[in-house]
Amino acid sequence: DSRNISVTAVNSLPTISTTTTPLGYTEDDGPVAIDPALTLGDLDDTLFDGATIVISGGTVTEDRLRFTNQNGITGSFAGSTLTLSGQATIADYQAALRSVAYENVSHDPSLTTRTMAFTIDDGSDTSQATRDVTITALNDPPQVMITVTALDYTAGDGAVAIDPGLLLIDLDDSVLTGATIQISAGNTAEDVLAFVDQNGITGSLVDTTLTLSGTTSVANYQAALRSITYENTNLTDPDNTTRNVSFTVTDGTDTGDNSRDILVSDPNRPPTVTATVTNLAYKEGDGAVPIDPALVVVDTDDVNLVGATVVIAGGDPAQDTLGFVSQNGITGSFNGTTLMLFGISSIANYQSALQSVSYENVSDDPNTATRTITFTVDDGNDTGFDSRQIDLSLSLIHISEPT
């Protein structure tokens, strides 16, 4: 006698095994493989159809899962879930899941432990295993962003803000606890830093080091640092060494710093022209006479002048003439009361030019009022001037007309 036995196959669940100890992740680590030792198995299947990896316990604003498509398996990450699709061998899915990486993109991450749930699908059933990820935060030092170009400072400018465009950033702190501003390579006898206490921040200056104290917001410290001024108290001949002003800020744990140069220059010194003290005595009929052959022109910080004027006042434009012959790149133009000299030329050349300027009275009946001749020289930035007088007298000799 016999009996039939019907055998019904039952799908065996896929197996997945993860590392039991948590993965330690430190802020700024970048993408880190969650479980390079993960293993997969299946007693009655050689292919898997898909998998999911889900993050729980974290926050979607900072948690990321990274995966690179491989071996016919493609990944799609949305919210807190990475979905893998595509039929592939168990070995290929094992390699794919081992490559899945976790990354935290925050500079101030939540320290809550994340749980990574791996689920594998053989087309009929699924299995799941998890691994925890613990988060360690790092303090991000504050950042000081400075204007790249140097500050141009001319002696006499007074107190000038060093960097009104300075920026402060702290990615994981909302307050700062102090700052130091220091001048290097300068001259302590003439360099001055200044700060007005504000928003809970007080300043203390010792030589060329300014220390700011007080716990307050990053924005308040930014405003404070922007307000700090530099002044050079030597108004005539400052030390021209380039100053480097360093800004260092602290969040109580770490510091950040940056610096800006200050280029200190002398003020422009105007040229000087010095006329002979005694008056020039001019007599009718003298012809063209140099007004001041001993005139002196000086400029202590320029090698060239760009122009000059010679102005006659107190006389009669119909009688008075100023004469000049162009020379050494300097040309002249006379309009009745003013002789204008043009052309970039050396100080010595301008001195010779002005020494050669002549006065002539062309009248047979001159106005005898004293004339004042004013010499002005121009270095392109400033002018200097001086004047000389001309006394006119009538000839005592009467020349009779022939009969």
Side-chain angles (χ1 to χ4, degrees), residues 359-373:
Y359 169 79
E360 182 177 7
N361 191 293
V362 296
S363 174
D364 291 327
D365 185 19
N367 178 340
T368 59
T370 297
R371 275 68 163 168
T372 299
I373 307 292

Side-chain angles (χ1 to χ4, degrees), residues 333-383:
S333 174
F334 181 62
N335 66 7
T337 58
T338 302
L339 171 65
M340 293 183 290
L341 305 187
F342 305 95
I344 298 174
S345 193
S346 70
I347 294 167
N349 286 343
Y350 262 95
Q351 177 174 281
S352 296
L354 292 178
Q355 288 175 347
S356 72
V357 174
S358 63
Y359 169 79
E360 182 177 7
N361 191 293
V362 296
S363 174
D364 291 327
D365 185 19
N367 178 340
T368 59
T370 297
R371 275 68 163 168
T372 299
I373 307 292
T374 301
F375 299 88
T376 302
V377 290
D378 184 359
D379 65 7
N381 295 298
D382 291 297
T383 58

Side-chain angles (χ1 to χ4, degrees), residues 160-389:
V160 175
I162 299 169
D163 195 349
L166 176 148
L167 294 174
L168 287 185
I169 299 173
D170 197 307
L171 298 173
D172 58 2
D173 289 292
S174 60
V175 298
L176 298 176
T177 61
T180 303
I181 303 86
Q182 187 172 34
I183 303 175
S184 61
N187 187 327
T188 57
E190 57 190 51
D191 296 326
V192 177
L193 293 175
F195 171 72
V196 177
D197 295 347
Q198 55 189 273
N199 299 316
I201 304 171
T202 57
S204 173
L205 179 65
V206 178
D207 295 328
T208 54
T209 300
L210 174 63
T211 302
L212 304 187
S213 304
T215 300
T216 188
S217 70
V218 175
N220 285 344
Y221 263 97
Q222 177 175 281
L225 294 182
R226 287 179 173 183
S227 73
I228 293 170
T229 60
Y230 169 80
E231 182 175 7
N232 193 295
T233 58
N234 188 332
L235 302 181
T236 58
D237 189 24
D239 182 342
N240 297 130
T241 303
T242 297
R243 276 67 166 171
N244 181 265
V245 181
S246 61
F247 296 83
T248 303
V249 295
T250 179
D251 60 11
T253 303
D254 291 300
T255 60
D257 63 82
N258 212 329
S259 63
R260 188 181 191 192
D261 287 342
I262 300 178
L263 306 180
V264 178
S265 58
D266 298 341
N268 183 69
R269 299 185 182 93
T272 61
V273 54
T274 305
T276 304
V277 175
T278 56
N279 293 350
L280 170 66
Y282 184 91
K283 186 174 65 174
E284 177 187 352
D286 278 352
V289 176
I291 300 168
D292 197 342
L295 174 145
V296 176
V297 177
V298 175
D299 195 314
T300 59
D301 61 358
D302 290 290
V303 295
N304 291 322
L305 297 178
V306 300
T309 58
V310 185
V311 178
I312 184 168
D316 185 341
Q319 303 177 2
D320 300 322
T321 300
L322 297 179
F324 173 72
V325 176
S326 297
Q327 54 190 276
N328 299 314
I330 304 170
T331 59
S333 174
F334 181 62
N335 66 7
T337 58
T338 302
L339 171 65
M340 293 183 290
L341 305 187
F342 305 95
I344 298 174
S345 193
S346 70
I347 294 167
N349 286 343
Y350 262 95
Q351 177 174 281
S352 296
L354 292 178
Q355 288 175 347
S356 72
V357 174
S358 63
Y359 169 79
E360 182 177 7
N361 191 293
V362 296
S363 174
D364 291 327
D365 185 19
N367 178 340
T368 59
T370 297
R371 275 68 163 168
T372 299
I373 307 292
T374 301
F375 299 88
T376 302
V377 290
D378 184 359
D379 65 7
N381 295 298
D382 291 297
T383 58
F385 64 91
D386 199 0
S387 60
R388 188 177 189 201
Q389 292 184 333

Side-chain angles (χ1 to χ4, degrees), residues 12 17 28 31 36 47 62 64 71 107 112 134 139-140 148 158 247 267 276 284 286 301 344-345 351 362 367 397 401:
S12 297
S17 176
D28 296 331
L47 299 175
E62 58 189 59
R64 301 288 185 272
N71 300 315
H107 290 283
T112 303
T134 58
N139 183 67
D140 290 288
V148 176
F247 296 83
T276 304
E284 177 187 352
D286 278 352
D301 61 358
I344 298 174
S345 193
Q351 177 174 281
V362 296
N367 178 340
I397 301 173
E401 296 292 333

Side-chain angles (χ1 to χ4, degrees), residues 13-75:
L13 295 175
T15 60
I16 180 168
S17 176
T18 53
T19 303
T20 55
T21 56
L23 169 67
Y25 184 93
T26 301
E27 178 185 343
D28 296 331
D29 273 353
V32 176
I34 301 168
D35 196 345
L38 175 148
T39 58
L40 296 180
D42 197 308
L43 296 175
D44 57 3
D45 288 290
T46 59
L47 299 175
F48 285 156
D49 290 354
T52 60
I53 304 91
V54 179
I55 307 172
S56 61
T59 170
V60 295
T61 59
E62 58 189 59
D63 295 324
R64 301 288 185 272
L65 293 177
R66 309 296 189 189
F67 174 73
T68 301
N69 295 339
Q70 54 191 276
N71 300 315
I73 303 169
T74 59

Side-chain angles (χ1 to χ4, degrees), residues 127-144:
S127 294
Q128 184 182 93
T130 63
R131 189 181 191 191
D132 288 343
V133 177
T134 58
I135 307 295
T136 300
L138 296 177
N139 183 67
D140 290 288
Q143 301 174 47
V144 185

